[in-house]
Amino acid sequence: MLLRVENIHKSYGAVEILKGVSFEMAPGQSKVIMGPSGTGKSTLLRCVNHLSPPDQGRIFVEGEELTAKNLNTMRQKVAFVFQDFNLFTHLRTVENVAIGPRKLRGFSKSAALDLAYKELDRVGLSDRADAYPAELSGGQQQRASIARALAMEPKLILFDEPTSALDPELTGEVVSVMNKLASEGMTMLVVSHEIGFARKAADEVIFMEGGKIIEQGPPSQLFEAPQQDRTRAFLNVIEHGGDA
Amino acid sequence: MSAWLDFAMEHLPYVLEGLPTTLGLWISAMAIGAVLGLALAWARIYGNRPIYAIATVYVEIFRGTPMLVQMLFIYLGLPEIGITFDPLTAAIIAIGLNTAAYQAEYLRGAVRSVPAGQMTAARALGMGKFQAFTTIILPQALRRVIPQWSNEAILELKYTSIAYAIGVTEITARAEKIGYETFQFFEVFLLIAAIYVVMTSVVAQLLQLLEKKVAVPGL
């Protein structure tokens, strides 16, 4: 297994957000985590690369346990795409993508830039390479941040609600980049309510509620024949609107 | 007016002989302040409890006492425990240690104003805390601190004049000497005031150019 998540518990103060979450991912798999807000999806994602270290439970990447000691090297294998992009404000788009290879992977400046242009091309942003983040649209910023993740040549990319901060007309360009990556065999763990992406690209959908996984399965099964009432009610809301 | 100009032209060369001392004192002190200020800012933001406490006490002491007292203490006080400096070195140390406290606070504010997501994103890439600070946070914080740093630089340029109190013959000391020789205090201090205005204006303009040159959209 590429990723093994074992019995993760996480509390903030007295509130227990994650109450024992376990799952595995094989190389090349895409999984989408769905569920009502406040249910611990983003917290789970942050536990996977220890942006929020879990209180209990263990994370294994390619069989190696993630610890406080190997954190920085392990994170180079597990890239993270943020809801609000978090591109480095002072760097041009291409420099945002090049800085990881340059500072962390030992690339020379020119090799890092070559790789950065290649990754920008992959997300369709070659023409904006010299722009600063503030000069990009939200969709362009998110694609640039995906390119920044790709430039680390990670084993796995975590996406934390990558389209939630975008206007509806801009989500399409980000989702199509994600579809393309999934079809190229990138291993992706995605917190998102983009049903279109889940149907098309996900091997499995994980439905969470109250800090636990309550149902998981292939998108066809989960969307067409959900076993749990809560899953059904939630899907009804995001597909048609209305109260959960 | 023309009488003053004649006076100024006559005494300007002597006053300006002190200019290298004034500028050398200022640049050395600002450099000490920048390096020490950066370390203090780091300690105040990321340091563990004892390191934070040491940095905080430092800042409070150096902001809470007059620079003249600090300078006299270093030049006249420290020799009593066997630490002796020549006047210029004592002045550089005093102004440097003092401005470090202020520069640390300005820098701390600038670092705090960088959105937290920048550090998170750097750490998520696999950077350590220190590397994330130097490659991502600091370049943004330094751009944001330039206006306040300019104020501090100009303030300290004027503060170099108090080094005259411990016998450094910078430009103010030379002006005073001319005053006692000619008894034209009005004219000589008008002259020295004009020199300070020219210097501070040039510094302000240069730093404004720097601010424009390193400006980035969205920062």
Side-chain angles (χ1 to χ4, degrees):
Chain A
M1 282 293 145
L2 177 61
L3 173 70
R4 197 159 90 235
V5 172
E6 244 181 52
N7 192 30
I8 297 299
H9 287 257
K10 179 75 184 177
S11 300
Y12 287 118
V15 185
E16 193 176 23
I17 305 288
L18 295 174
K19 301 171 179 169
V21 176
S22 305
F23 64 93
E24 291 186 330
M25 287 185 76
Q29 268 195 328
S30 290
K31 294 198 182 197
V32 172
I33 304 174
M34 291 189 169
S37 54
T39 213
K41 308 180 297 288
S42 291
T43 305
L44 173 62
L45 213 61
R46 284 168 175 265
C47 281
V48 170
N49 75 345
H50 278 218
L51 279 181
S52 308
D55 300 333
Q56 257 187 69
R58 311 204 289 176
I59 306 286
F60 295 87
V61 178
E62 294 187 311
E64 191 182 344
E65 185 173 3
L66 195 61
T67 64
K69 284 217 170 89
N70 63 19
L71 200 60
N72 292 335
T73 46
M74 294 291 269
R75 279 178 180 161
Q76 296 177 33
K77 298 183 183 181
V78 184
F80 201 101
V81 172
F82 296 88
Q83 180 179 349
D84 44 4
F85 332 126
N86 289 340
L87 288 172
F88 302 129
T89 318
H90 64 301
L91 298 178
R92 294 175 190 278
T93 302
V94 67
E95 295 165 338
N96 260 280
V97 182
I99 194 163
R102 178 89 184 94
K103 297 288 179 186
L104 297 163
R105 301 180 63 207
F107 280 48
S108 70
K109 194 173 177 186
S110 67
L113 285 173
D114 286 347
L115 176 62
Y117 281 113
K118 200 189 97 199
E119 300 299 358
L120 282 179
D121 188 44
R122 227 167 138 188
V123 301
L125 268 185
S126 305
D127 56 327
R128 303 295 282 144
D130 290 332
Y132 284 99
E135 299 169 326
L136 299 179
S137 73
Q140 289 173 334
Q141 288 192 58
Q142 193 57 297
R143 285 188 284 146
S145 89
I146 293 172
R148 176 174 68 180
L150 289 171
M152 294 305 289
E153 295 179 339
K155 303 289 180 189
L156 164 69
I157 305 182
L158 309 172
F159 291 83
D160 186 12
E161 307 207 23
T163 58
S164 299
L166 300 176
D167 294 334
E169 66 266 31
L170 296 179
T171 60
E173 64 188 62
V174 172
V175 171
S176 70
V177 165
M178 291 169 64
N179 282 333
K180 184 173 154 218
L181 293 181
S183 69
E184 289 169 5
M186 176 58 72
T187 313
M188 300 161 69
L189 181 59
V190 182
V191 170
S192 174
H193 292 159
E194 291 292 330
I195 295 222
F197 172 77
R199 278 187 197 281
K200 189 166 172 198
D203 299 292
E204 190 170 85
V205 175
I206 294 173
F207 185 76
M208 280 181 73
E209 192 183 39
K212 285 183 168 168
I213 294 177
I214 63 167
E215 187 166 359
Q216 56 189 318
S220 54
Q221 179 198 316
L222 203 100
F223 291 140
E224 308 313 330
Q227 303 297 302
Q228 304 287 330
D229 290 344
R230 285 299 300 138
T231 315
R232 204 172 302 129
F234 177 76
L235 289 172
N236 194 40
V237 173
I238 59 172
E239 279 184 295
H240 309 294
D243 293 326
Chain B
M1 184 70 189
S2 81
W4 181 74
L5 280 177
D6 290 343
F7 174 88
M9 291 315 290
E10 186 189 341
H11 295 287
L12 195 58
Y14 176 76
V15 173
L16 288 186
E17 270 175 51
L19 201 57
T21 306
T22 292
L23 293 178
L25 169 55
W26 174 62
I27 290 168
S28 311
M30 286 306 288
I32 291 172
V35 173
L36 187 56
L38 183 58
L40 287 166
W42 164 271
R44 294 254 286 157
I45 298 165
Y46 301 109
N48 57 21
R49 279 184 85 97
I51 291 192
Y52 170 86
I54 291 168
T56 304
V57 167
Y58 178 97
V59 168
E60 292 309 326
I61 287 175
F62 279 88
R63 284 198 310 180
T65 51
M67 195 197 285
L68 181 57
V69 172
Q70 293 163 13
M71 200 178 284
L72 292 171
F73 181 81
I74 289 168
Y75 183 63
L76 298 174
L78 289 184
E80 281 188 34
I81 57 165
I83 305 171
T84 312
F85 299 107
D86 63 84
L88 182 59
T89 308
I92 288 172
I93 293 171
I95 298 177
L97 295 184
N98 181 281
T99 184
Y102 288 92
Q103 292 189 43
E105 286 303 278
Y106 295 140
L107 199 54
R108 186 170 76 109
V111 168
R112 285 248 182 268
S113 75
V114 175
Q118 297 286 304
M119 177 56 106
T120 312
R123 297 302 311 274
L125 270 185
M127 288 188 191
K129 205 197 230 179
F130 187 71
Q131 189 179 21
F133 179 74
T134 55
T135 59
I136 303 299
I137 306 301
L138 198 55
Q140 298 185 35
L142 289 177
R143 284 178 171 86
R144 287 170 187 239
V145 87
I146 292 174
Q148 283 172 304
W149 197 85
S150 305
N151 268 338
E152 180 65 12
I154 287 167
L155 203 64
E156 298 306 330
L157 178 52
K158 293 179 292 174
Y159 262 129
T160 56
S161 61
I162 69 168
Y164 125 94
I166 59 169
V168 178
T169 48
E170 40 67 70
I171 57 177
T172 301
R174 286 169 177 265
E176 197 208 24
K177 188 156 175 273
I178 292 167
Y180 280 113
E181 281 168 3
T182 62
F183 290 101
Q184 291 181 282
F185 289 105
F186 182 88
E187 289 83 351
V188 77
F189 284 118
L190 207 56
L191 173 64
I192 199 81
I195 293 172
Y196 278 110
V197 167
V198 170
M199 286 196 299
T200 53
S201 305
V202 169
V203 169
Q205 290 301 316
L206 287 177
L207 287 170
Q208 218 163 49
L209 278 179
L210 174 71
E211 190 183 345
K212 281 206 183 108
K213 189 166 162 43
V214 301
V216 162
L219 244 184

